[in-house]
Amino acid sequence: MPNIHNYFVYILECTDGSYYVGVTNDLERRLEEHNSGYNPTAYTFNRRPVILRYYQRFTFIEQAIAFEKQLKGWNRKKKEALFNEDWNEIKRLSNLKKK
């Protein structure tokens, strides 16, 4: 039986207005790393400070990674609908892409 842990998929808003999607097992630590410039090669390094706009907790890493990949494929409007928990808008935007 697999171990159950906490994993988080998160979206940050950078100072240039772009969004960064990531996954971690320690959200508070990871947010601090992004804002401190822990990794000079990271996307967020020159876009600090960052603001946490959204996160979701998962118990299995496979689910978290799958959701992270899904979010990375979403456009800006769809991510913003997620921030507002506007499920109708998310559905509408998803249907537009299928046409």
Side-chain angles (χ1 to χ4, degrees):
M1 182 166 179
N3 290 334
I4 297 175
H5 298 283
N6 286 317
Y7 299 99
F8 301 89
V9 174
Y10 61 94
I11 302 176
L12 304 176
E13 183 173 357
C14 301
T15 56
D16 65 359
S18 65
Y19 295 128
Y20 174 85
V21 179
V23 64
T24 184
N25 64 350
D26 187 334
L27 187 58
E28 190 174 311
R29 174 190 50 82
R30 191 67 183 112
L31 185 56
E32 175 57 32
E33 288 174 355
H34 281 292
N35 274 318
S36 71
Y38 173 76
N39 181 355
T41 63
Y43 176 83
T44 57
F45 185 80
N46 291 320
R47 295 170 173 88
R48 294 175 288 151
V50 297
I51 300 167
L52 181 65
R53 292 294 306 268
Y54 174 84
Y55 72 92
Q56 185 169 334
R57 188 183 70 78
F58 294 85
T59 53
F60 299 104
I61 188 62
E62 297 83 6
Q63 294 171 330
I65 291 170
F67 189 55
E68 177 197 27
K69 287 179 180 179
Q70 181 181 9
L71 288 180
K72 285 183 175 186
W74 286 14
N75 65 30
R76 181 177 190 84
K77 288 184 182 211
K78 200 167 175 183
K79 289 173 185 167
E80 290 171 350
L82 180 64
F83 303 157
N84 297 318
E85 297 182 354
D86 187 343
W87 311 117
N88 290 329
E89 181 67 359
I90 291 170
K91 185 175 180 179
R92 186 187 75 78
L93 292 167
S94 294
N95 289 334
L96 288 176
K97 191 174 184 178
K98 294 176 185 173
K99 292 180 180 180

